[in-house]
Amino acid sequence: MRAIYLTEGGLEIREVEEPKPGYGEVVIKVNYALTDGTDLKTFLRGHPILKRGPFGHEYSGTVYELGEGVEGFQVGDEVFGVNTAPCFKCSSCMRGKFNLCENLKKNMVIGAYAEYLLIPAQVVKINLFKKPPELPFHVAPIIEPLSCVFHALEKVPLEDVENVLILGSGSISAMFSLVLSELGKEVLITGRSEEKMRTISENTKVKWVKFESLKGAFDLVIDTTANSNVAGMGLKFVNKGGYMLMFAGFREGEEIKIEQPRIHYSEIQILTSFHHTPQSVRKAYTFLLKNYRSLEFLISGFYTLENINKAFENMAKGLGFKYAITP
Ligand SMILES: [Zn+2]
């Protein structure tokens, strides 16, 4: 089969063997894999967890082959899901920190930019779903980043929050915008791309502002940019008693400067969130089924495996939100 590999020299299309499902595993024929900010970061500068090799982790497809012992799926089922599942046995899982499972890497879907994709047994059991017919194949993979958004919001005491500032003009910013507006919060976004902020605003009804014109104080500021300067400046806009949520992960070793008295005397809480849990995946599933039409604008274009570099070049230039890659 054809598959995309991330190498030191960039993305390469390779002819490799089709995956074979082991016990409890499923192989799907990929319909779409979506690009995202994590893939872009890995592509541009490497990632602390994701290494070079098979690439892509947001997927939808059709069940092609079942391993022994698989329950609940049949060949031909249309499916979508997320990229990992917790083991429920390690020390993190025992503390209920399923997003921090020590065995995430062993139960990880990787290599979605390919014709066929192996879904590990634990993901089949916990985080793979039959796709309702109305949910389009190219929108379904959004369940993964959306699960991260729902996990992040579990970290914030939302009852304390009336207004929110979101730093960044990408797809994660758009997802936070939609979810938080639905929760009745007043949302403002600010980011690099005016065009993308305008698109988000037209599609989600939230307001946007240029960073230079930003003023006021916000009960919650969310950084989706992974830029330490932007995140640092965002801190200045957190209201007394408010929260700063660092959603995006910086580059390995990168630090942020914090004016301690500013956060101490205003009792500002800095929160972080990473990845998703089975609970947040289920929240995302429900939200996606209800709101997939409002999320479809995040698919900015379609490319084949052969043309995947164009999708990443666009993203590196800040053009578009997510691209759907089809084998
Ligand atoms: Zn675990």
Side-chain angles (χ1 to χ4, degrees), residues 87-90 93 101-102:
C87 72
F88 295 128
K89 288 176 186 155
C90 72
C93 283
C101 172
E102 313 290 336

Side-chain angles (χ1 to χ4, degrees), residues 29-270:
K29 189 172 189 328
V30 176
N31 281 60
Y32 289 102
L34 297 185
T35 64
D36 76 343
T38 304
D39 284 355
L40 179 66
K41 278 198 287 187
T42 313
F43 174 75
L44 293 174
R45 67 187 197 206
H47 189 279
I49 295 172
L50 301 171
K51 297 298 168 206
R52 310 262 151 180
F55 198 36
H57 63 277
E58 298 182 9
Y59 61 92
S60 65
T62 308
V63 174
Y64 176 73
E65 202 178 347
L66 297 173
E68 273 185 49
V70 172
E71 282 172 28
F73 292 99
Q74 287 182 337
V75 171
D77 281 347
E78 298 179 346
V79 293
F80 70 121
V82 300
N83 53 339
T84 66
C87 72
F88 295 128
K89 288 176 186 155
C90 72
S91 57
S92 294
C93 283
M94 288 320 226
R95 289 157 58 223
K97 311 276 181 192
F98 301 121
N99 57 317
L100 303 177
C101 172
E102 313 290 336
N103 296 307
L104 278 188
K105 270 159 96 178
K106 285 187 209 153
N107 300 313
M108 186 183 291
V109 177
I110 192 77
Y113 302 130
E115 286 182 82
Y116 299 94
L117 176 65
L118 182 81
I119 312 294
Q122 194 69 358
V123 178
V124 171
K125 228 192 281 175
I126 313 293
N127 278 337
L128 183 70
F129 306 98
K130 283 189 196 165
K131 188 185 75 61
E134 66 272 25
L135 178 65
F137 270 116
H138 66 286
V139 183
I142 287 182
I143 189 169
E144 197 277 329
L146 194 57
S147 300
C148 300
V149 164
F150 274 97
H151 173 68
L153 292 177
E154 287 175 4
K155 301 276 149 187
V156 185
L158 286 169
E159 65 281 6
D160 290 356
V161 173
E162 277 179 24
N163 65 347
V164 184
L165 172 68
I166 305 175
L167 308 171
S169 48
S171 54
I172 293 289
S173 173
M175 288 179 221
F176 272 118
S177 297
L178 265 180
V179 175
L180 286 163
S181 332
E182 180 145 302
L183 292 169
K185 311 299 179 192
E186 189 187 309
V187 180
L188 183 67
I189 55 176
T190 189
R192 229 180 347 188
S193 164
E194 275 185 35
E195 193 190 327
K196 280 160 75 178
M197 287 196 285
R198 208 167 283 130
T199 308
I200 293 175
S201 175
E202 280 162 14
N203 284 280
T204 66
K205 310 288 173 240
V206 302
K207 297 201 173 97
W208 66 274
V209 65
K210 285 190 199 173
F211 196 84
E212 307 85 74
S213 324
L214 197 55
K215 43 180 195 281
F218 300 83
D219 303 330
L220 171 63
V221 175
I222 304 174
D223 174 51
T224 72
T225 69
N227 178 319
S228 54
N229 292 324
V230 175
M233 286 189 284
L235 256 179
K236 300 189 198 318
F237 292 94
V238 183
N239 199 3
K240 277 188 171 187
Y243 305 89
M244 169 90 200
L245 173 63
M246 296 210 181
F247 177 87
F250 297 170
R251 166 193 324 241
E252 217 167 354
E254 189 170 355
E255 296 179 355
I256 183 169
K257 249 194 192 154
I258 289 169
E259 192 189 331
Q260 198 269 1
R262 158 83 183 111
I263 65 166
H264 175 85
Y265 293 104
S266 299
E267 209 174 57
I268 287 164
Q269 311 286 319
I270 296 180

